[in-house]
């Protein structure tokens, strides 16, 4: 069922999104060679709680036999696409890391992701990060009243593939609000289904996941971490947006 947000709900989602956006800016400054992904997780959880929110991801139910997610951020390094679990891994010069984080404030979620270079990364890695980010904005240009989900999906796909990269197809963007994941699904490629028609008050998380190599992925033994099959680099960029009568509101970009 599609949940249309009221003005009051939109204000709460903007507050949740601001916490997430500000946190990602803080983490960007902390991402340097020598830091561990667990240290980044500790910084994130502390900040979210200090803001009067709680981490949306911590304790999120796993699929099948996978345990509940144990951390406040997903930290996915190099060939890890999404859902990497923070731990003792040390970041090195030239790595790239995708940080995905959510915060729930007064019952409403904000969800966003960024991919950052660690120290000095290769020109190809930098281009991957840039194309992934830009594909999000190409998609959001289409997230206006009267358009459909497929308009967003197609704009993302066209930008990514025209730049020689590939899109992960098994995972998608999603609706968001009181639930971290709500209807509708927002694929990053054109499928057979056109999807809902956007109307003001629709809230979605748009999140292209882009591989430098092929589209193939697999889930690691921890039940969470998604990796590229060919060990190519992967980047992720996401924001929470709300459809309006005019330009969409990006709640998690500050």
């Amino acid at each position: 069922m599609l949940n249309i947000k009221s003005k009051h709900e939109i204000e709460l989602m903007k507050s949740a999104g601001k916490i997430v956006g500000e946190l990602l800016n803080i983490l960007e400054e902390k991402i340097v060679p020598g830091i561990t992904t667990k240290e980044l997780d500790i910084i994130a959880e502390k900040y979210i709680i200090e803001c009067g929110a709680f981490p949306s991801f911590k304790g999120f139910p796993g699929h099948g036999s996978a345990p509940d997610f144990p951390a406040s951020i997903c930290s996915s390094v190099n060939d890890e696409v999404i859902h990497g679990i923070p731990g003792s891994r040390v970041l090195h010069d030239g790595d790239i890391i995708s940080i995905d984080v959510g915060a729930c404030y007064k019952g409403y979620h904000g969800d966003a992701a960024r991919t950052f270079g660690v120290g000095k990364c290769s020109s190809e890695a930098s281009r991957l990060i840039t194309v992934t980010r830009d594909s999000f904005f190409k998609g959001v240009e289409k997230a206006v009243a009267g358009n459909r989900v497929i308009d967003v999906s197609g704009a993302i796909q066209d930008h990514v593939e025209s730049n020689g990269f590939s899109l992960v197809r098994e995972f998608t963007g999603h609706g968001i609000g009181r639930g971290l994941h709500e209807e509708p699904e927002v694929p990053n490629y054109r499928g057979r289904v056109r999807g809902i028609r956007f109307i003001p008050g629709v809230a979605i998380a748009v999140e292209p996941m882009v591989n430098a190599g092929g589209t193939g992925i697999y889930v690691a033994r921890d039940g969470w971490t998604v990796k590229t099959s060919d060990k190519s680099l992967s980047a992720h960029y996401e924001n929470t947006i709300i459809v309006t009568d005019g330009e969409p509101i990006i709640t998690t970009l500050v």
Side-chain angles (χ1 to χ4, degrees):
M1 180 179 177
L2 189 64
N3 295 312
I4 305 303
K5 275 60 181 182
S6 67
K7 289 182 178 179
H8 176 66
E9 290 176 308
I10 290 170
E11 290 305 311
L12 290 174
M13 291 191 70
K14 287 164 69 176
S15 295
K18 183 180 179 184
I19 293 168
V20 171
E22 289 177 341
L23 172 57
L24 285 166
N25 290 342
I26 291 169
L27 292 177
E28 182 175 15
E29 298 299 317
K30 302 294 184 181
I31 293 172
V32 296
I35 197 167
T36 67
T37 54
K38 181 62 177 178
E39 287 173 307
L40 295 173
D41 184 63
I42 291 169
I43 292 167
E45 182 167 320
K46 182 174 183 290
Y47 184 80
I48 291 169
I49 292 171
E50 285 176 349
C51 289
F54 69 84
S56 301
F57 297 176
K58 194 163 190 178
F60 193 84
H63 296 287
S65 60
D68 293 350
F69 195 77
S72 296
I73 64 170
C74 299
S75 57
S76 307
V77 182
N78 295 335
D79 64 332
E80 296 174 349
V81 182
I82 50 174
H83 301 163
I85 299 173
S88 60
R89 184 169 187 168
V90 177
L91 298 183
H92 298 286
D93 189 67
D95 286 340
I96 66 172
I97 180 170
S98 298
I99 302 289
D100 191 358
V101 62
C104 186
Y105 178 76
K106 295 186 177 180
Y108 288 84
H109 295 273
D111 184 9
R114 307 280 186 269
T115 300
F116 304 108
V118 183
K120 186 177 181 180
C121 58
S122 70
S123 59
E124 183 68 356
S126 295
R127 193 171 78 87
L128 173 66
I129 293 169
T130 298
V131 168
T132 304
R133 180 191 65 215
D134 291 349
S135 74
F136 164 85
F137 288 101
K138 293 290 186 182
V140 168
E141 287 177 4
K142 304 296 184 180
V144 295
N147 278 354
R148 290 185 180 272
V149 168
I150 198 170
D151 298 310
V152 174
S153 306
I156 292 170
Q157 181 178 13
D158 288 346
H159 187 73
V160 169
E161 293 182 351
S162 68
N163 278 279
F165 297 125
S166 63
L167 284 154
V168 172
R169 296 183 173 228
E170 291 85 348
F171 295 89
T172 70
H174 51 88
I176 186 170
R178 279 194 171 275
L180 180 60
H181 293 152
E182 298 181 351
E183 293 296 327
E185 286 192 348
V186 185
N188 296 306
Y189 64 95
R190 292 182 185 87
R192 295 181 179 180
V193 179
R194 297 175 67 195
I196 65 147
R197 191 179 298 278
F198 293 122
I199 61 174
V202 169
I204 55 175
V206 177
E207 50 176 320
M209 292 153 266
V210 181
N211 296 343
T215 61
I217 60 170
Y218 68 96
V219 180
R221 291 182 179 179
D222 62 20
W224 280 102
T225 307
V226 178
K227 306 182 74 172
T228 58
S229 298
D230 58 9
K231 300 189 183 301
S232 63
L233 296 178
S234 188
H236 184 200
Y237 190 90
E238 175 188 18
N239 282 302
T240 298
I241 72 168
I242 299 170
V243 178
T244 72
D245 288 318
E247 295 292 317
I249 298 167
I250 304 179
T251 69
T252 48
L253 192 62
V254 296

